[in-house]
Amino acid sequence: MCLGVPGKIVARYEVDGLPMGKIDFGGTVREACLAYVPEAGVGDYTVIHVGFAISRLSEEEAQATLEMLREIIQLEEEIGPADGAL
Amino acid sequence: MKYVTEYRDAALVKRTIREIERTVTQPWVLMEICGGQTHAIVRHGLDQVLPPEIELVHGPGCPVCVTPLELVDKALAIAAQPGMIFTSYGDMLRVPGTARDLFSVRANGGDVRVVYSPLDAVKIAQANPDKEVVFFAIGFETTAPANAMSVLQAKALGLTNFSVLVSHVCVPPAMHAILGSAHNRVQGFLAAGHVCAVMGYWEYPPLAEKYRTPIVVTGFEPLDIVQGILAAARMLEAGQVGVENAYGRAVTYDGNRAAQAVIAQVFEVRDRKWRGVGMIPLSGWGLRPAFAAFDAKTRFDVGDIQPQESPLCIAGQILQGLRKPHDCPAFGVDCTPEHPLGATMVSAEGACAAYYRYGRHFANLEATHV
Ligand code: SF4
């Protein structure tokens, strides 16, 4: 139950005064409450947890992380694999 | 699927593990707090491909595992009352109480329903005005925004037949308890990414300072996890103390302010018992007095409860990182997912269930799948 899953907002609307939305999880679409991501719009990705969006995913941060890891790998390729040489 | 596929890139994961191998020069014990991470680590076989210097011990971040037995027994008694619709997250149904579980209450005619979101429980209360509807509001900081909103929504809708049985626990006090224990083995933490998505990580720097322990906010995909381990290993090897965020796409330092505000409106800090672990001061949340009308604990009298844990179960030690599931004599013998003796054998996030499902029946088993 404690697994948060990333999904894309494909619709935003209101039910009983609460901001709700349709979330696409790679083909499966479910409803979630968007009250905690007022800044997120259609097309944005959020982490959905027990029917609530708890965080809007940041594309810039995601790219920065992958960049950082790719740099590590390039470094490894340049100086060769680790054989206890360090 | 975006934000998933690229974090399961096997080549990138392997390269990152090589970088961990290159970094470590001595043994280190790291604890992943969150059961979701335990599950991912065992499922993807990360525990079997990390260098032997890195030992991962599994933390208490499994909500169904730490919900106190008294409360499970109370839930069972409430669920069995006539005129009741008892609603819960699915994982709770098999959690063993002293004598039975919610499934058996349902088998005996109780109206026990699994909901995906607590707002579904509110809808059930709207649709059934002649019934009492109780939602078993358990969990860590991750489910608190949802559970709190269900109370606000029931109040806004003027519902008088909806209440919540609250058992909320918080991560930082548990980290305090683990690090402060005389038996502690943990040298670095992978902090639970989604807890931090809600709460931010401003609570962690004083913890890292006080116990001289690096803490790395970590996500849930294989690449997130090895990246978290790499960051922790680098800090440990360099003798650094502090907090790093290895899950930047979902977590900011401040966290989700809107969610924190609703949590603070509905809940207040309380002492909480953790199943198998015991009382941890100021380690959870209960309803504020303003919402007493929605408190199932006081609303339903179920008489005296005498909880009794299975004498075989060592889940409490496992949840504190002191033992592993295969150290338990009942593991896979008297205790299986079909017949669990302890809650850690039930939930997908429980360490015993993960070890059982992915074949970690003995210590140092050779890698069977990666
Ligand atoms: S294997 Fe079963 S009895 Fe042993 S610690 Fe795990 S849940 Fe408890």
Side-chain angles (χ1 to χ4, degrees), chain B residues 310 312-315 318 325 328-332 335 340-345 352:
Chain B
S310 161
L312 296 173
C313 186
I314 61 161
I318 294 171
C328 172
F331 177 76
C335 181
L341 294 180
T344 44
M345 187 53 101
C352 297

Side-chain angles (χ1 to χ4, degrees), chain A residues 51-68:
Chain A
F52 282 72
I54 53 169
S55 169
R56 186 171 74 91
L57 289 164
S58 154
E59 176 66 32
E60 286 131 63
E61 287 291 338
Q63 285 313 325
T65 305
L66 289 172
E67 269 316 300
M68 194 269 290

Side-chain angles (χ1 to χ4, degrees), chain B residues 151 166 261-270 285-295:
Chain B
V151 173
V166 179
V262 169
I263 292 171
Q265 188 185 344
V266 175
F267 296 128
E268 62 186 13
V269 174
R270 300 263 176 88
W285 289 320
L287 283 174
R288 286 190 180 277
F291 297 95
F294 297 93
D295 195 345

Side-chain angles (χ1 to χ4, degrees), chain A residues 1 36 55 58-59 73 76, chain B residues 2-3 12 15 18 145 250:
Chain A
M1 74 175 246
Y36 297 126
S55 169
S58 154
E59 176 66 32
I73 283 161
E76 186 194 17
Chain B
K2 192 171 157 69
Y3 294 118
L12 212 46
R15 299 295 191 82
R18 274 235 289 273

Side-chain angles (χ1 to χ4, degrees), chain B residues 18 20 71 73 80 89 100 128 185 213 267 301 334 359:
Chain B
R18 274 235 289 273
I20 297 170
L71 215 75
D73 283 348
Y89 296 122
R100 53 185 175 164
N128 296 276
R185 300 180 58 223
T213 306
F267 296 128
D301 184 12
D334 299 309

Side-chain angles (χ1 to χ4, degrees), chain B residues 1 10 15 21 35 55 63 70 85 88 106 115 127 153 155 159 186 189 242 271 300 319 321 335 348-350:
Chain B
M1 173 79 197
R15 299 295 191 82
E21 281 165 7
E55 183 187 351
E70 299 86 296
I85 302 176
S88 165
R106 181 152 88 181
V115 292
Q153 187 65 0
K155 189 168 185 178
L159 297 179
V186 177
F189 272 110
D271 293 344
F300 302 100
L319 291 166
C335 181
E349 296 132 56

Side-chain angles (χ1 to χ4, degrees), chain B residues 322-333:
Chain B
L322 303 175
R323 313 276 292 271
K324 294 278 173 74
H326 43 56
D327 297 329
C328 172
F331 177 76
V333 185

